[in-house]
Amino acid sequence: MTKQVKLVLEDGTEIQGKSFGAFTSAAGEVVFSTAMTGYPENLTDPSFKGQILVLTYPMVGNYGVPGEELYEYVSKVFESDKIHISGLVINYYSEEHSHWNSAKSLGDWLAEYNIPGIYDVDTRLLTKKLREKGAMLGKIVAADDIEMHDPNQDNLVDAVSIPEVQRYGTGKHKIVLVDCGTKSNIIRCLLKRDVELIRVPWDYDFNTIDYDGLFLSNGPGDPKTCEPTIGHLKTAYGTEKPIFGICLGNQLMGLAAGGDTFKLKYGHRSHNQPVLLSGTKQCYITSQNHGFALDTKGLPEEWEMLFENLNDGTCEGIKHKSKPFFSVQFHPEAAGGPEDTEFLFDQFLDLVEKHKAEQGS
């Protein structure tokens, strides 16, 4: 028998629905994503840590959840080793699932990680409310009521980063990956480009490592909680070694350069965000998942905007005018979403190759 649950928002709104996944209560920040597919990737994306995710696509669960496979010791199909969302809100839950690599239902998968889901909700109407009022705190209430909780007050990056250094591959370029909540496809994209990858915790002093290139990952929450990372990055700016940042990595690079960040009203969470390459008419469709953005007004003159969001004009990337440092706010590794900008990994490694050649190594 289907059990009733409700979604409660901080403005007092109560929405009745039906339970799937774990029958338990959970609190977090209620956000929405307009992606049509890719829920296995979204739910395992560490950038969603602490959030109750609303999916606007009307039918969810119809292709089930794939079985686990490994590629170079990381997941081949998921973006981390567990579900990171606090709860899931959808319109229609498809109990019947069919796909060539489906191993279980979405509901069973959520239950494995004790994550509540609620369906039979008018997610389009809910999304309109979130667009008008902005992302709100909320809770899914099952048998027992709980207090609201703002995950942005927590150090979410510390919660999702690895506890100790991990190494992958034996390629020709030594790349340090600062794990602020990295997606597995970032690791896959780097490893298939013949690198030796050293994955370090978010607060690790990577300047103690002799690396060829530095990579800053995506991650959840407010970038200003990552003070150790910002400090280490300022030191790295004193070198000429190439640096590439993605998503939270873009914000951290901006903060380390002297810029500022701010919280977006409802964030960018979709697979169809258009970005314009500065100084050109070249537009790319990108996958995004972030609630904060970089304010470029305070950046020093030696930095400039690399990409601009064509929906709201926000910064989608920056680059240094003379040093091989650049970053993007979107996800060139996608998973899920369009792969139009994966070439940026090649550009980063081209910079690494060029720098090593100049150093005679």
Side-chain angles (χ1 to χ4, degrees), residues 115-317:
I115 307 295
I118 175 173
Y119 71 98
D120 208 13
V121 171
D122 188 341
T123 51
R124 298 299 175 95
L125 183 64
L126 176 57
T127 298
K128 285 184 177 180
K129 176 184 281 290
L130 295 174
R131 281 181 61 92
E132 292 168 1
K133 296 190 175 183
M136 283 191 255
L137 300 185
K139 55 185 177 180
I140 295 175
V141 180
D144 299 317
D145 198 0
I146 57 173
E147 297 294 322
M148 295 283 187
H149 176 68
D150 183 0
N152 292 302
Q153 300 301 313
D154 304 331
N155 189 333
L156 298 174
V157 169
D158 185 60
V160 299
S161 182
I162 56 171
E164 56 187 21
V165 176
Q166 296 178 0
R167 296 174 180 267
Y168 312 84
T170 56
K172 61 182 180 180
H173 302 308
K174 185 182 292 186
I175 305 299
V176 167
L177 169 62
V178 183
D179 181 10
C180 297
T182 188
K183 292 171 60 183
S184 295
N185 204 39
I186 290 176
I187 297 173
R188 295 191 290 262
C189 284
L190 288 169
L191 289 179
K192 73 180 183 181
R193 287 170 168 82
D194 193 25
V195 306
E196 175 188 349
L197 193 61
I198 306 171
R199 182 181 181 185
V200 301
W202 71 280
D203 56 353
Y204 189 93
D205 187 359
F206 45 78
N207 296 296
T208 61
I209 301 174
D210 182 21
Y211 60 82
D212 300 319
L214 179 64
F215 195 107
L216 293 112
S217 82
N218 63 292
D222 187 342
K224 291 178 181 177
T225 63
C226 300
E227 291 183 6
T229 319
I230 295 168
H232 299 324
L233 192 51
K234 289 179 180 179
T235 301
Y237 282 170
T239 74
E240 299 286 339
K241 293 181 179 180
I243 304 174
F244 181 24
I246 283 179
C247 196
L248 183 76
N250 172 66
Q251 298 159 21
L252 294 176
M253 288 184 67
L255 288 170
D260 197 7
T261 55
F262 62 95
K263 196 173 191 300
L264 294 165
K265 184 176 181 181
Y266 48 79
H268 297 160
R269 298 176 182 89
S270 64
H271 293 166
N272 60 350
Q273 290 283 335
V275 302
L276 180 70
L277 178 62
S278 296
T280 75
K281 294 184 179 180
Q282 179 66 59
C283 177
Y284 298 95
I285 302 301
T286 66
S287 177
Q288 300 194 17
N289 177 16
H290 59 100
F292 289 79
L294 178 62
D295 185 352
T296 58
K297 293 178 182 177
L299 286 177
E301 290 185 1
E302 60 265 27
W303 290 84
E304 61 185 357
M305 184 134 76
L306 180 58
F307 290 95
E308 176 185 357
N309 189 293
L310 288 176
N311 285 335
D312 60 14
T314 53
C315 174
E316 290 286 352

Side-chain angles (χ1 to χ4, degrees), residues 86-97:
S86 294
L88 185 64
V89 183
I90 62 174
N91 176 243
Y92 176 78
Y93 172 55
S94 177
E95 295 187 12
E96 298 294 326
H97 58 94

